[in-house]
Amino acid sequence: MRVDELLMEPTLAQEVADEAARLPVPPAQEQERLRQQLEASERPPRDTAWPQVLQAPREKQDTRYADPATSHRPVVGPVLVFAKRSFRRLFQPFINEVMRRQVEFNEALLDSLALIYDEQRENARAQAAWRKDISERLERLEQARPPDRER
């Protein structure tokens, strides 16, 4: 059964609701334990800071602007630097337009990577919580198990 089937077929949704109504009410202590578990697994507010791993790419996302022009040549270096700077000033509007889509792509890609990073971190946290819960349940079951009889 898929969610879209429940949404599109009201009779199926009603059948599921009827079956759910027939389920026994869980004990109060189990309800409280589940409530605490849900509160513990509630997603914390998102960090507005970018993840450290994405800081360097974020600083380089805008490809429209280059680093300041330099040259290592001693004699013709200042002339080359002047030519580079002049070219940049003259053609900057064209460069901006040509690189606009690349900048938009870079921004979208970095946003997606940040979202994936947050989801991975959240999944790891949830898995750790579930692992802890399973371990606690297993420990309770082992304590409740009667000792093995020796033959």
Side-chain angles (χ1 to χ4, degrees):
M1 178 181 317
R2 296 189 323 253
V3 173
D4 59 341
E5 293 172 345
L6 285 174
L7 293 173
M8 297 301 190
E9 298 180 30
T11 56
L12 185 58
Q14 187 59 45
E15 287 177 28
V16 170
D18 292 342
E19 289 295 321
R22 287 188 212 129
L23 290 172
V25 177
Q29 103 182 45
E30 285 298 314
Q31 287 180 7
E32 180 61 23
R33 188 188 61 76
L34 181 60
R35 186 188 62 72
Q36 288 174 354
Q37 185 177 4
L38 288 174
E39 285 177 359
S41 67
E42 187 176 17
R43 183 177 289 210
R46 276 188 75 179
D47 262 351
T48 55
W50 279 75
Q52 188 64 32
V53 71
L54 294 178
Q55 282 294 345
R58 185 168 181 256
E59 292 169 3
K60 297 176 184 176
Q61 76 182 4
D62 195 350
T63 56
R64 293 175 292 196
Y65 303 101
D67 294 333
T70 59
S71 177
H72 65 283
R73 296 171 184 89
V75 177
V76 293
V79 174
L80 289 174
V81 169
F82 176 75
K84 290 177 185 180
R85 288 181 183 164
S86 299
F87 178 85
R88 219 31 167 156
R89 276 193 207 107
L90 183 62
F91 290 103
Q92 190 64 49
F94 301 109
I95 294 170
N96 289 349
E97 188 56 33
V98 168
M99 299 305 288
R100 180 178 53 82
R101 302 257 332 246
Q102 182 65 48
V103 171
E104 291 171 359
F105 174 78
N106 291 352
E107 289 171 351
L109 188 62
L110 282 172
D111 288 343
S112 297
L113 286 173
L115 182 64
I116 290 170
Y117 180 85
D118 286 343
E119 289 296 320
Q120 284 295 103
R121 192 172 60 181
E122 177 63 28
N123 286 341
R125 193 174 71 75
Q127 282 181 354
W130 283 107
R131 214 174 296 122
K132 180 181 175 189
D133 180 56
I134 297 277
S135 296
E136 289 171 358
R137 285 181 176 182
L138 185 59
E139 189 175 306
R140 284 196 308 261
L141 285 172
E142 287 174 346
Q143 289 173 356
R145 185 179 71 178
D148 291 338
R149 292 186 299 197
E150 293 188 24
R151 295 178 192 191

